[in-house]
Amino acid sequence: MTATVPTRASGLTRAASAAGLRVLASAGWPEAAEDQVAPPIAGFVVSAFSPLAAETARRCLLRRPSPQPPVTAVVLVSPLGDLAGAVHVAETVDGGGRVGPLLFFQAVPNAVAGHLAARWQLTGPVVCVGDTAAGLAVTALLLADRDADEALLIRVDQAHTPGRHDRAAAVLLGPGPPQSRQHYKGEQP
């Protein structure tokens, strides 16, 4: 049995529950000692930001308790965005180098959010915000307005000081507590 490493998924789960949202599934990075480098994604280079978001989302969606409802939103939260990618671009430009074209594509967090929506056939809105409170507020509005049946909320924090590690968490959220709404087929109250 492998030793688990503390994740921020529990904090995101508590925040979502406190906001009155129902947590259907959750995941984090790292979750195990083996979580050293997130699997790469074709078309995303230099930075771990997008692979962290994608792997954490994958884990969360695989833990979904029931089949996917018709409309799932993606809400990506990151206070600093793709910090490693931004640092790489700045250093390249400062050094007189040429910035590769893939870095323009992935310069905004929307790129990985769109990748996730396409990969997992998530047909709801895609939103990127800078903090968890805003992410939870947007999620609650999307669910209350019925713009989505559920929302995948992902938070990515890249290390910005020496000795720190990149972290990510994802929660799949539905509206309200179990007793206040209808359940999806196969979902446990």
Side-chain angles (χ1 to χ4, degrees), residues 55-188:
E55 177 60 16
T56 307
R58 182 190 74 79
R59 290 176 180 187
C60 185
L61 291 169
L62 288 175
R63 294 172 185 163
R64 174 186 270 142
S66 60
Q68 177 178 330
V71 181
T72 301
V74 178
V75 179
L76 182 64
V77 174
S78 183
L80 299 174
D82 185 350
L83 184 61
V87 167
H88 174 79
V89 168
E91 289 173 348
T92 301
V93 170
D94 288 348
R98 181 179 168 273
V99 177
L102 288 177
L103 290 171
F104 291 102
F105 161 74
Q106 72 183 48
V108 293
N110 301 46
V112 72
H115 168 81
L116 289 168
R119 162 69 177 87
W120 290 91
Q121 299 174 346
L122 307 177
T123 59
V126 173
V127 180
C128 298
V129 296
D131 65 43
T132 300
L136 290 168
V138 166
T139 298
L141 287 172
L142 292 171
L143 296 172
D145 289 347
R146 299 190 183 264
D147 291 323
D149 300 310
E150 66 182 17
L152 176 64
L153 177 66
I154 309 156
R155 180 175 171 121
V156 179
D157 293 289
Q158 285 188 299
H160 57 280
T161 56
R164 306 287 275 169
H165 299 283
D166 294 344
R167 298 214 176 273
V171 288
L172 186 63
L173 301 170
Q179 62 274 19
S180 70
R181 66 177 188 88
Q182 287 186 327
H183 301 288
Y184 298 121
K185 183 180 178 185
E187 183 179 346
Q188 298 297 313

